[in-house]
Amino acid sequence: ESFSSAPLANITSASFSADGKRIAAYTSDSLSGSKIHTVDMENKVWSLFPNAAQTFSWAPDSHKIAYLSQAGGVNTVYTTDADNSRAKPSEVIKIHGQDITVSWPVPSTIFFGDKPNSAWGSSLWSLNISKKTVTPLLADLPGLETSWSSSTTQLMGLTFSSNGNGGRLQLINQDGKRLQTFDFITFPSKCAFYDKPVPQDSARPSSAVSTSTKKTSPATPKSILTLVCAIPRDGDTLNNNPLPDAYLKKAIFTSDDLFEINTSTGEIKSIFSDSSKSLDADDMKIFNQSVFFINRYDKKVYSISLPK
């Protein structure tokens, strides 16, 4: 389906809002500066944010967007509502830094950090939107990349950091505390969180318990925060190269299998493995019990159904 014939050149990235009803497209232009364009998928109407922007992220529960605009070496974090193109952007805070990325996984908090490079240390901060306070979470980690869950059960982050050649992958909480270090290497862009439904019938307590001794059982959780990752079959490909630089520059490619990881227990299950196929999965997303990703070998979008 073609939803627009608007001439929009130099698109470098685009993403859906959480409900899929809006798209934001980021364009880069050396003369007019980088801009954010949004489209209303229902009415097929395009809008342009007036401020130049360096990076952006959708809110998890609305059509608001957080973005950075730079002037005089100072970055200003703004939020604005894509449903009201006439509304003035709301300034949240000014920060100093270069090549900053933003992520807005929960309504109250924006995370921002340095773009990754194996040659220098990057950092990660959290921004409380209402209090306008910044808290440092991780500091001076080479090649730092992060992604966050937008879970209704709990907030977790996935971080990759470089050891020069190779690196390590960890789960952290919203305060930056390490929860788990994995014994495999991949990148946050090759992983995605989702709330996996728990079959309620399989967890019901036995009805044969005497009423005189019966205790109230804790409620069975409706879902478990689960991580799906594309993990390279050949770990030496990553261990023998500076990361994430070599991967981002497309100096190396990987052939991946997909695994499902229980973030509470650390249990890992294979969900797709086919040595006859070369899938270098990137920009992974999960919707309606299916995982979607771009295969870097052919630039096509693939999907794989997740186990129930």
Side-chain angles (χ1 to χ4, degrees), residues 124-292:
L124 177 71
W125 300 268
S126 66
L127 168 62
N128 185 299
I129 298 174
S130 60
K131 296 181 180 179
K132 298 187 177 182
T133 55
V134 175
T135 303
L137 301 181
L138 300 172
D140 201 28
L141 292 175
L144 179 64
E145 283 190 336
T146 62
S147 66
W148 294 90
S149 69
S150 296
S151 169
T152 57
T153 57
Q154 61 187 130
L155 177 63
M156 280 190 186
L158 185 66
T159 70
F160 171 86
S161 56
S162 174
N163 295 330
N165 286 355
R168 65 179 180 178
L169 191 71
Q170 295 183 317
L171 274 178
I172 62 172
N173 64 13
Q174 61 185 353
D175 299 319
K177 181 181 178 181
R178 179 178 60 84
L179 302 176
Q180 184 177 350
T181 300
F182 296 109
D183 58 4
F184 60 85
I185 301 177
T186 191
F187 302 109
S189 64
K190 298 170 79 69
C191 299
F193 291 93
Y194 82 109
D195 290 321
K196 182 176 182 178
V198 175
Q200 298 299 298
D201 291 342
S202 64
R204 287 179 179 173
S206 172
S207 60
V209 180
S210 169
T211 55
S212 61
T213 60
K214 189 174 181 180
K215 296 181 180 180
T216 302
S217 300
T220 302
K222 294 182 179 180
S223 62
I224 298 174
L225 183 60
T226 302
L227 188 62
V228 174
C229 282
I231 302 176
R233 300 184 194 122
D234 181 8
D236 289 341
T237 300
L238 298 184
N239 285 322
N240 296 330
N241 285 277
L243 301 177
D245 311 40
Y247 188 77
L248 295 175
K249 293 177 180 178
K250 297 185 178 179
I252 59 173
F253 288 76
T254 64
S255 293
D256 305 328
D257 294 325
L258 270 66
F259 294 84
E260 190 177 75
I261 304 157
N262 185 315
T263 60
S264 298
T265 65
E267 180 185 8
I268 300 178
K269 293 182 179 179
S270 173
I271 59 175
F272 182 84
S273 179
D274 187 344
S275 59
S276 67
K277 299 186 183 302
S278 293
L279 299 175
D280 185 349
D282 191 38
D283 197 16
M284 187 175 288
K285 301 288 188 297
I286 296 175
F287 301 100
N288 298 328
Q289 282 296 116
S290 291
V291 56
F292 296 82

Side-chain angles (χ1 to χ4, degrees), residues 49 63-67 78-82 84 87-90 104:
F49 290 178
H63 293 155
K64 290 185 177 181
I65 290 178
Y67 68 95
Y78 292 95
T79 60
T80 191
D81 192 345
N84 187 357
K88 183 179 179 180
S90 175
W104 195 352

Side-chain angles (χ1 to χ4, degrees), residues 33-176:
S34 300
K35 297 290 182 66
I36 299 173
H37 308 252
T38 63
V39 60
D40 180 335
M41 293 295 292
E42 296 174 321
N43 299 310
K44 309 297 189 291
V45 176
W46 282 91
S47 300
L48 170 65
F49 290 178
N51 294 22
Q54 276 66 53
T55 183
F56 74 91
S57 180
W58 284 103
D61 60 345
S62 69
H63 293 155
K64 290 185 177 181
I65 290 178
Y67 68 95
L68 266 69
S69 185
Q70 189 180 71
V74 177
N75 290 293
T76 303
V77 180
Y78 292 95
T79 60
T80 191
D81 192 345
D83 289 339
N84 187 357
S85 60
R86 297 181 179 180
K88 183 179 179 180
S90 175
E91 179 178 326
V92 182
I93 200 170
K94 294 183 183 296
I95 57 175
H96 291 270
Q98 297 293 329
D99 286 336
I100 301 296
T101 62
V102 298
S103 178
W104 195 352
V106 292
S108 62
T109 307
I110 295 172
F111 294 92
F112 62 93
D114 309 301
K115 287 185 179 179
N117 190 294
S118 62
W120 66 70
S122 299
S123 299
L124 177 71
W125 300 268
S126 66
L127 168 62
N128 185 299
I129 298 174
S130 60
K131 296 181 180 179
K132 298 187 177 182
T133 55
V134 175
T135 303
L137 301 181
L138 300 172
D140 201 28
L141 292 175
L144 179 64
E145 283 190 336
T146 62
S147 66
W148 294 90
S149 69
S150 296
S151 169
T152 57
T153 57
Q154 61 187 130
L155 177 63
M156 280 190 186
L158 185 66
T159 70
F160 171 86
S161 56
S162 174
N163 295 330
N165 286 355
R168 65 179 180 178
L169 191 71
Q170 295 183 317
L171 274 178
I172 62 172
N173 64 13
Q174 61 185 353
D175 299 319

